[in-house]
């Protein structure tokens, strides 16, 4: 019995010096003592639980379990625990020795090549002027980071940017060499007494079916922007990047010079060269004269060389910018609604007061501050060169009325001494915003670059017409506006609604298929186009097969009924499938290939507008003497950073 009465050996006491050396969190010694290590945790003993022995496992990188124990068992000590941990988080000033600091600096030495690349990247991506490398603050900044660094001169910077630009163009050319179909957008831009032509390229990656884009050029144009000058510039840019034969369509605005350039040097729907009068040469029209062949007429060669026959340049199909057309509908065509006297009266009175309010806030800082203090928002001022600007200005005014009430407008009109809006005019603004909202939405959809395809054009316009029909019913003031918009849509987009290629592009997008219109004749036209072009050998045979086939195989390729039947089955399967994502096309190779071809072009030229927006930041007033070549190099490197890396 006495053996069981013996006391257990006492645990050796932990010395303060040992605890000081081994305790993972010395600032918590008053609450927890260190016991040992178990796996990836510390074994800690709670001193507040004594004489009861309580052991807690705490992760090596955090004492959070100790805090949880305090919260559960010793709530009255939680404040003290927080004070101890917060004191620890306040870092005490460290005074490292000079020898250690010198060693650290020596280990962070960067090569001169890396420094040069970083400077070039900073100048290009930050849109900095070239002279920044010669400014004393910048040189001091680099010297502070790398005392042994050599800062390049402005001439060296220009040379490196020029080399980087050539490498970038090679990368873009190589990327486009791997695709069969490319689309371009182009426009002209004038600033600081110089004119430029900008060109962007767009294609669909055949593997991921994602949209890819690149800026090709922003070259200076000298002299008048005549149609032949534009055609020459476009032809040179397309040839430089080796894409002239791959371009499906080029999208531009409605400028008369661009329209004539493509009318004279472009292609018509039947892929025939268009003459100077704009009419495609039809086969057999001069058959009778050609068959005679008895008389030979000698013509001076110089006359033939100087004659404008439309064959000097070769431009692709032309596509007018849908957003520019919608902008014309919302501005020019909408004005025709004023032929209705009742609409004209309320329209002029309402927008007369709106313009007075907008002009007051635009010209007076005191008025702008008054509006901001009262409404917590600023009024937007319409800009004739920006799409949807008038609608956005009206929408902002109505938002203020909705948030603050009609009384705030009366107060503003009184304070700013502008005419007061009456209830009929406020109701007119509400109807105007309701009518123009679908037009603004359609513009935003079509000007997208990442996910927009040519097949979006007709469904968007068709749906816009339907929305205008529905919004027209409850209107009191703006019915003439709806009528004017619908007439404008019919006049400006009517010829596109009968284009089989555009119809087929919409059908070959899983998002739409045949559900975007109820017109059976339209769907039939698109289906006939699809079936006809899916049976082409170029869409059924791979490049390797075509290169190895004989002349006999090529000649009788149209008789390969099995391939035609397979394409028809693919089309039927595609139309029957319920999924609406683009990757669905990968299951139907023939459908996918034709869809990529038809949907490569963009319905709007907004990509070129974005190019000019960045160009305006590069070609700032303080850089008005910037050489056009250096300007283009910096701009294209900025826009095409995904195709070239400085690292």
């Amino acid at each position: 019995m006495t053996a069981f009465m013996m006391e257990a050996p006492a645990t050796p006491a932990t010395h303060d010096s040992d605890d000081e050396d081994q305790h993972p969190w010395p600032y918590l010694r008053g609450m927890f003592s260190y016991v040992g290590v178990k796996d990836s945790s510390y074994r800690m003993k709670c001193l507040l639980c004594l004489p009861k022995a309580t052991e807690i496992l705490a992760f090596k990188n955090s004492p959070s379990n100790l805090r949880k124990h305090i919260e559960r068992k010793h709530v009255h000590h939680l404040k003290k625990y927080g004070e101890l941990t917060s004191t620890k988080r306040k870092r005490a000033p460290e005074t490292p020795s000079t020898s250690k600091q010198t060693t650290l600096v020596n280990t962070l030495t960067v090569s001169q090549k890396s420094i040069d690349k970083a400077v070039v990247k900073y100048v290009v991506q930050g849109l900095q002027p070239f002279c920044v490398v010669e400014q004393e603050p910048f040189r001091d900044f680099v010297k502070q980071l790398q005392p042994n660094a050599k800062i390049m001169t402005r001439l060296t910077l220009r040379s490196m940017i020029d080399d980087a630009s050539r490498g970038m163009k090679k990368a873009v050319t190589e990327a486009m060499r791997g695709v069969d179909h490319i689309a371009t957008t182009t426009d002209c831009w004038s600033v600081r007494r110089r004119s430029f032509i900008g060109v962007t390229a767009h294609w669909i990656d055949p593997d991921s079916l994602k949209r890819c884009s690149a800026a090709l050029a922003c070259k200076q144009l000298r002299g008048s922007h005549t149609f032949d000058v534009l055609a020459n510039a476009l032809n040179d840019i397309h040839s430089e990047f080796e894409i002239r034969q791959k371009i499906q369509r080029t999208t531009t605005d409605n400028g008369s010079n661009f329209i004539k350039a493509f009318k004279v040097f472009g292609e018509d729907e039947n892929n025939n060269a268009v003459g100077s009068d704009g009419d495609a040469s039809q086969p057999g029209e001069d058959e009778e004269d050609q068959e005679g062949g008895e008389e030979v007429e000698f013509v001076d060669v110089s006359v033939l060389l100087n004659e404008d026959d439309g064959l000097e340049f070769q431009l692709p199909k032309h596509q007018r910018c849908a957003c520019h057309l919608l902008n014309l509908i919302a501005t020019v065509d909408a004005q025709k609604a004023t032929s209705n006297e009742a609409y004209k009266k309320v329209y002029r009175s309402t927008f007369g007061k709106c313009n007075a309010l907008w002009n007051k806030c635009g010209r007076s800082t005191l008025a702008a501050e008054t509006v901001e203090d009262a409404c917590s928002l600023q009024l937007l001022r319409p800009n004739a060169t920006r799409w949807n600007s008038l609608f956005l200005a009206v929408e902002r005014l109505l938002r203020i009325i909705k948030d603050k009430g009609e009384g705030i407008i009366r107060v503003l009109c009184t304070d700013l001494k502008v005419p007061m809006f009456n209830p009929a005019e406020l109701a007119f603004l509400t109807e105007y915003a309701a009518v123009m909202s679908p037009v603004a939405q359609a513009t935003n959809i079509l000007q997208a670059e990442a996910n927009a395809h040519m097949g979006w054009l007709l469904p968007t316009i068709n749906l816009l017409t339907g929305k205008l029909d529905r919004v027209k019913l409850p209107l009191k003031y703006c019915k003439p506006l709806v009528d004017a918009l619908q007439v404008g849509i019919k006049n400006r987009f009517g010829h596109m609604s009968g284009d089989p290629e555009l119809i087929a592009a919409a059908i070959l997008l899983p998002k739409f298929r045949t559900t975007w219109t109820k017109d059976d004749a339209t769907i039939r036209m698109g289906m006939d186009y699809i079936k006809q072009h899916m049976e082409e050998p170029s869409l059924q045979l791979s490049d390797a097969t075509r290169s190895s086939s004989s002349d006999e195989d090529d000649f009788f390729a149209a008789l390969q009924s099995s391939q035609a039947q397979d394409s028809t089955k693919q089309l039927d399967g595609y139309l029957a499938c319920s999924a609406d994502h683009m990757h669905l096309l990968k299951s139907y190779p023939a459908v996918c290939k034709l869809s990529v071809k038809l949907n490569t072009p963009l319905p709007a030229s907004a990509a070129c507008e974005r190019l000019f927006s960045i160009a305006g930041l590069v070609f700032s007033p303080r850089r008005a003497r910037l050489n056009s070549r250096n300007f283009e190099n910096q701009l294209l490197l900025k826009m095409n950073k995904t195709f070239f890396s400085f690292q």
Side-chain angles (χ1 to χ4, degrees), residues 70 214 275 318 346-347 369 408 416 436 445 448 484 499 619 640:
I70 295 294
H318 183 220
V346 66
Y347 171 83
E369 292 172 357
I408 194 66
L416 302 180
M436 299 305 296
I445 290 172
D499 188 342
F619 203 43
N640 297 330

Side-chain angles (χ1 to χ4, degrees), residues 247-276:
I247 301 177
Q248 298 300 307
R249 296 192 183 212
T250 296
T251 306
T252 74
D253 60 11
N254 281 337
S256 58
N257 48 3
F258 276 115
I259 292 177
K260 186 173 182 181
F262 284 91
K263 185 178 182 181
V264 175
F265 302 111
E267 298 178 359
D268 69 349
E269 296 178 356
N270 299 318
N271 295 326
N272 294 322
V274 179
S276 59

Side-chain angles (χ1 to χ4, degrees), residues 492-520:
R492 298 185 186 274
F493 290 98
H495 66 286
M496 297 183 188
S497 61
D499 188 342
E501 186 173 320
L502 297 181
I503 299 172
I507 295 175
L508 293 179
L509 284 180
K511 184 179 182 66
F512 302 113
R513 290 193 181 88
T514 60
T515 61
W516 56 273
T517 180
K518 297 180 180 179
D519 188 356
D520 294 336

